[in-house]
Amino acid sequence: MKLRRCAVLYIESREDLSIDWRTVLSGGNALASSSHWVALAPHLDQEITIDAAQLAALGGASQTVWRERSAAEQEYGEVCIAKLLELGLLIGDTPQYAAQRARDDTLRDTHWRPLSALAHTFGRWRGVVEETGMEAPSFQALLDRFGEPPPPTLDIHPEQAIALPAPAAGRMDEQLLQRYTGRNYDLQASVPLEVVARLLQRTFGAQEVRQVGPHSEVLKKTSPSGGGLHPIEAFVLAQRVDGVAPGLYHYHPMAHELRPLETMDHEAAAALSRYMLADQHWLSGAPLQVVLVARLERSYWKYRNHQKAFRAVALDAGHLSQTFYLLATEAGLPAFITAAINDADIEKTLGLDHLRHAVVAMCGCGPAADGPRSMVELRYGETDAI
Ligand SMILES: Cc1cc2nc3c(=O)[nH]c(=O)nc-3n(C[C@H](O)[C@H](O)[C@H](O)COP(=O)(O)O)c2cc1C
């Protein structure tokens, strides 16, 4: 049997702090620290504590060249090698280790930049329910807690400043100046199907399909996209869309269709939304919501092992979100975007693989409720809500 190291592996020295109460009582420095090694491998999707002997064995293994197991055992011991194979940090070439090898191969085949794979894998949330943690506090509460923030902008060479004329009025002003993040959705209201159709098509839909090879197409959309590849897919959570059963759908950008994944009753859709949004109840009432999912394999097909590719995917999602906001504003609807989502759980619900896909953000929109606002909403010309 042969083995090699998994493709991407980072080792972290993790510190454990403890307080020695006996020293505290005798007036000494009581903070004690110890450390241990943690192996971070994206294909395993969990942090693994390893010891110094295992660290040495991993350091001695190639990630490319296969080596006889017996040779590694001679150098590092049978128990150590068996444990690393079982953990999936070493990859074996026999059927016993096929599952770990398949995950490692998926990572290799997707052409990840290793640090990006690490940041993505270990930045995902599951089961986060932190409504108080993320609820936007008033600015006064932030000032009380953190003191004054850094200034709102840089102030470079004011003495050489060239004053610019006031901006002329333009056709986009209405949408640009009315846009705001809604946090107070009307829980009874629905969105007409025509409004949803325009929102989805003009944000996520193909405005043109270009044939670039016998079986290769690129899409032209209303937002820019790194490499023109448009790796972001729109999965729709319809809560209250006229004529559409509550549930999860994939929006097909070329066919302009909602393809059902799972329909459900209103209560189940509301609970799913709240769970996906990590309990942000001020957003979860929005009748139309969209999960932005990057198909990294499409982006990385061109940008192989590229430092900027993962960042570009996040920028793509940001552009789509602003287009969505402006179209929602045009329809008289406030909108939202959030990255504070249970992305690892959403992957499971949508049947996605985190090595090939990234659930980047969720956005949504819907009519605002009448009455007092429950949360901070920054609208132009208003200060009372801050
Ligand atoms: C990347 C990103 C993440 C955001 N995440 C959240 C969020 O988790 N929860 C939330 O209520 N708003 C979120 N927002 C909305 C911002 O809080 C909002 O844009 C900001 O307060 C300015 O208000 P405005 O959009 O009305 O101008 C997010 C916005 C962006 C661009």
Side-chain angles (χ1 to χ4, degrees):
M1 177 191 153
K2 291 199 164 111
L3 53 78
R4 67 179 176 183
R5 215 202 65 204
C6 60
V8 178
L9 174 65
Y10 285 86
I11 307 289
E12 188 180 313
S13 167
R14 191 72 61 81
E15 188 175 48
D16 309 303
L17 291 175
S18 58
I19 292 178
D20 178 350
W21 288 106
R22 281 225 298 236
T23 317
V24 173
L25 295 174
S26 58
N29 181 359
L31 200 55
S33 108
S34 63
S35 55
H36 61 273
W37 297 114
V38 175
L40 301 168
H43 73 296
L44 297 176
D45 198 13
Q46 57 176 326
E47 301 184 355
I48 299 172
T49 297
I50 57 168
D51 61 28
Q54 292 165 340
L55 177 65
L58 289 169
S62 164
Q63 70 189 71
T64 313
V65 181
W66 295 90
R67 181 189 195 194
E68 285 300 334
R69 176 176 183 161
S70 53
E73 285 174 343
Q74 267 186 358
E75 213 171 322
Y76 301 105
E78 281 178 30
V79 176
C80 177
I81 296 301
K83 186 67 190 171
L84 291 173
L85 281 165
E86 181 197 317
L87 289 170
L89 293 168
L90 288 178
I91 306 296
D93 69 347
T94 56
Q96 189 187 350
Y97 303 107
Q100 293 99 319
R101 185 174 181 185
R103 294 304 287 152
D104 188 55
D105 283 347
T106 300
L107 183 64
R108 288 171 193 263
D109 295 344
T110 311
H111 308 294
W112 275 96
R113 184 83 184 169
L115 272 174
S116 299
L118 196 74
H120 165 56
T121 300
F122 295 99
R124 283 145 63 241
W125 281 2
R126 12 177 104 70
V128 172
V129 179
E130 271 192 9
E131 62 170 307
T132 47
M134 287 183 303
E135 200 152 2
S138 72
F139 243 89
Q140 190 55 55
L142 288 172
L143 290 171
D144 293 346
R145 193 161 160 208
F146 300 129
E148 297 289 330
T153 187
L154 300 172
D155 198 13
I156 298 170
H157 297 317
E159 70 287 354
Q160 296 171 24
I162 302 164
L164 298 172
R171 278 185 294 167
M172 289 172 68
D173 277 1
E174 199 180 331
Q175 280 71 48
L176 290 170
L177 299 177
Q178 291 298 314
R179 182 210 64 81
Y180 75 97
T181 297
R183 296 196 176 90
N184 191 18
Y185 293 97
D186 182 341
L187 300 182
Q188 310 307 321
S190 60
V191 186
L193 192 58
E194 313 83 73
V195 172
V196 171
R198 175 168 166 79
L199 257 166
L200 293 178
Q201 210 287 331
R202 288 293 191 252
T203 308
F204 303 104
Q207 306 308 316
E208 200 184 314
V209 179
R210 289 185 190 160
Q211 202 72 34
V212 291
H215 306 289
S216 310
E217 287 145 339
V218 291
L219 308 182
K220 176 81 180 151
K221 297 193 184 180
T222 53
S223 297
S225 170
L229 292 165
H230 286 291
I232 305 264
E233 298 282 332
F235 286 88
V236 170
L237 173 59
Q239 289 207 76
R240 296 178 307 283
V241 173
D242 294 345
V244 176
L248 280 167
Y249 300 82
H250 174 244
Y251 173 69
H252 195 293
M254 295 145 88
H256 184 46
E257 292 168 348
L258 286 176
R259 308 257 178 103
L261 298 172
E262 190 187 346
T263 53
M264 54 193 81
D265 61 27
H266 284 286
E267 289 71 33
L272 179 62
S273 161
R274 196 155 167 165
Y275 188 70
M276 295 200 302
L277 289 164
D279 214 25
Q280 295 189 76
H281 56 81
W282 53 94
L283 304 179
S284 65
L288 172 71
Q289 295 175 29
V290 185
V291 185
L292 305 187
V293 174
R295 281 165 58 231
L296 300 165
E297 52 196 356
R298 178 145 169 111
S299 169
Y300 298 172
W301 164 80
K302 175 177 178 185
Y303 298 115
R304 296 178 182 221
N305 193 24
H306 198 293
Q307 287 106 320
K308 305 294 181 185
F310 193 54
R311 185 189 300 189
V313 159
L315 289 169
D316 271 30
H319 284 95
L320 291 165
S321 158
Q322 174 72 349
T323 304
F324 182 87
Y325 260 86
L326 294 176
L327 284 159
T329 307
E330 177 198 62
L333 307 173
F336 76 81
I337 172 144
T338 175
I341 54 177
N342 280 315
D343 37 359
D345 295 315
I346 295 172
E347 286 160 11
K348 272 206 185 129
T349 304
L350 298 177
L352 303 169
D353 177 358
H354 90 276
L355 295 180
R356 296 161 57 230
H357 310 112
V359 180
V360 184
M362 279 180 69
C363 56
C365 68
D370 292 333
R373 292 179 218 153
S374 60
M375 292 285 303
V376 176
E377 287 182 349
L378 284 171
R379 301 193 197 178
Y380 287 95
E382 296 180 350
T383 50
D384 58 332
I386 298 174

